[in-house]
Amino acid sequence: MVEFSHELIIPNEDLPFKMFLFEGKNGNYYRDKHWHRSVEIFAVFEGEMDFFLNDERHPLRSGEFILVNSNEIHSIQVPNPNKTVVLQMPLNTFEDYFTGERFIRFTHDSNQQDKKVMELIRDMYRTYEQKACGYDMKVKGLYYMLLYLMVTEYRELEATEDMIKRNRKLTHLSMITAYIKEHYTSELTLEELAKIFGYSPSYLSRMFQKYAGINYKSYLQSIRVEQAYKELVNSDHTISEIALNNGFPDSRAMAKAFSRKYGLLPSEYRKKANQNKKTES
């Protein structure tokens, strides 16, 4: 088993993709519904997690992985510690294999190549961590072997008009959510957002509900809670400071949203995270 000692985030100039240890490695982690243009693989080497793709539950156990398609709505529940490697691959990596309008889809069903995929990811991670002479060439070679398996063994060849339409709508929503992620600390109403992007508030509200499966207010709240979570773990700021830094009116409002999502008050979570850090060191 490869040692997972620290998070690895590979910069774009180093390799043509990103690879890192999953940020929910300590457990008590929940990531709300979200989507992105890149294609992802979550490969679980120790522990377990529950993946939800379009509200369908996919439990992952040690030795299993899941392919997350571009613009696929997903959320993650991780109650216990785990060691999971995440790969993020730009969508344009697969442009010669699109089956529709900038569209490609990979299956979630298990395949006889699953074991080979896990071996490739394990070897990629270990090689990058050791950084021996020529490591970048070896990692790239393993990566392109992985891509070969994806397009030959896991790619779905049928793309319906409904799939392509949904993909197009979520691409539009991605531009809007990118704006939200830049301005989530300010008072950002649905009416203001709709005006910025040239939609009526009612139409934008329907877009979120129909294509993202979440209402606008809940999405904005999830962004604020997730950012507060990161600041809680990675800074010494007080709970009140973190609340104000992330768009909450006060610490009580943040505590309510945080405990609803993570099952713990922010103070309780920080205490537990600090204990885990002491144990690891």
Side-chain angles (χ1 to χ4, degrees):
M1 173 62 66
V2 60
E3 290 296 320
F4 300 87
S5 56
H6 58 279
E7 182 171 310
L8 292 176
I9 299 180
I10 301 176
N12 292 334
E13 62 268 19
D14 190 2
L15 292 171
F17 65 100
K18 290 186 178 181
M19 177 168 60
F20 53 93
L21 276 185
F22 176 54
E23 65 179 355
K25 58 184 178 294
N26 294 323
N28 285 321
Y29 178 90
Y30 179 77
R31 181 78 194 273
D32 215 337
K33 289 182 178 180
H34 63 288
W35 68 98
H36 35 68
R37 294 290 283 159
S38 62
V39 177
E40 287 189 323
I41 294 180
F42 285 73
V44 181
F45 288 93
E46 291 183 22
E48 57 189 31
M49 64 174 61
D50 278 343
F51 234 88
F52 294 85
L53 296 168
N54 301 315
D55 292 326
E56 182 179 341
R57 178 173 175 263
H58 294 260
L60 292 182
R61 303 297 178 257
S62 179
E64 298 177 341
F65 72 92
I66 194 162
L67 278 160
V68 183
N69 292 297
S70 173
N71 284 339
E72 188 162 40
I73 307 294
H74 56 288
S75 59
I76 312 168
Q77 292 182 359
V78 190
N80 300 311
N82 66 96
K83 292 179 180 177
T84 301
V85 173
V86 183
L87 301 186
Q88 296 177 336
M89 296 158 278
L91 179 62
N92 61 13
T93 301
F94 304 98
E95 62 185 352
D96 291 336
Y97 300 90
F98 288 155
T99 51
E101 178 187 317
R102 295 197 61 77
F103 181 85
I104 188 169
R105 182 177 174 84
F106 299 100
T107 180
H108 305 126
D109 296 334
S110 59
N111 185 289
Q112 62 180 355
Q113 299 291 341
D114 286 3
K115 186 176 179 181
K116 178 64 175 175
V117 168
M118 291 297 291
E119 290 173 353
L120 284 169
I121 295 172
R122 180 186 291 110
D123 203 5
M124 287 164 63
Y125 188 95
R126 180 170 48 211
T127 300
Y128 185 80
E129 189 176 40
Q130 293 173 349
K131 287 187 171 62
C133 179
Y135 75 92
D136 54 332
M137 294 182 180
K138 181 176 180 181
V139 173
K140 288 177 185 177
L142 295 168
Y143 174 60
Y144 285 110
M145 185 63 205
L146 174 63
L147 295 180
Y148 169 75
L149 289 178
M150 290 174 67
V151 299
T152 59
E153 301 291 341
Y154 294 90
R155 182 172 60 121
E156 295 184 350
L157 300 179
E158 297 294 327
T160 66
E161 185 56 40
D162 283 345
M163 288 180 181
I164 295 172
K165 180 181 179 181
R166 180 181 178 84
N167 184 66
R168 190 185 308 125
K169 292 291 186 181
L170 283 167
T171 296
H172 291 164
L173 272 176
S174 292
M175 293 185 286
I176 297 171
T177 55
Y179 183 89
I180 294 172
K181 289 172 184 176
E182 289 181 6
H183 298 87
Y184 69 92
T185 59
S186 61
E187 185 64 35
L188 191 60
T189 67
L190 178 65
E191 288 72 21
E192 291 173 30
L193 193 66
K195 185 176 181 180
I196 290 169
F197 286 92
Y199 296 113
S200 70
S202 59
Y203 182 79
L204 182 57
S205 177
R206 288 196 300 272
M207 277 184 69
F208 266 95
Q209 196 65 58
K210 181 175 181 179
Y211 295 103
I214 187 172
N215 64 52
Y216 168 71
K217 186 176 179 180
S218 295
Y219 182 82
L220 177 59
Q221 186 85 309
S222 73
I223 296 297
R224 289 172 171 166
V225 174
E226 286 166 9
Q227 295 303 318
Y229 162 87
K230 292 177 182 178
E231 190 172 347
L232 187 72
V233 173
N234 299 311
S235 80
D236 294 325
H237 297 160
T238 67
I239 304 298
S240 294
E241 288 173 335
I242 293 172
L244 295 177
N245 289 344
N246 291 283
F248 292 99
D250 52 47
S251 60
R252 288 176 60 185
M254 189 186 97
K256 183 178 180 181
F258 193 95
S259 60
R260 186 185 302 121
K261 186 168 184 176
Y262 294 106
L264 293 170
L265 291 170
S267 56
E268 294 171 334
Y269 192 91
R270 171 172 272 175
K271 182 178 180 180
K272 187 167 184 176
N274 288 337
Q275 289 173 343
N276 287 336
K277 287 179 182 178
K278 289 179 181 178
T279 301
E280 290 174 359
S281 60

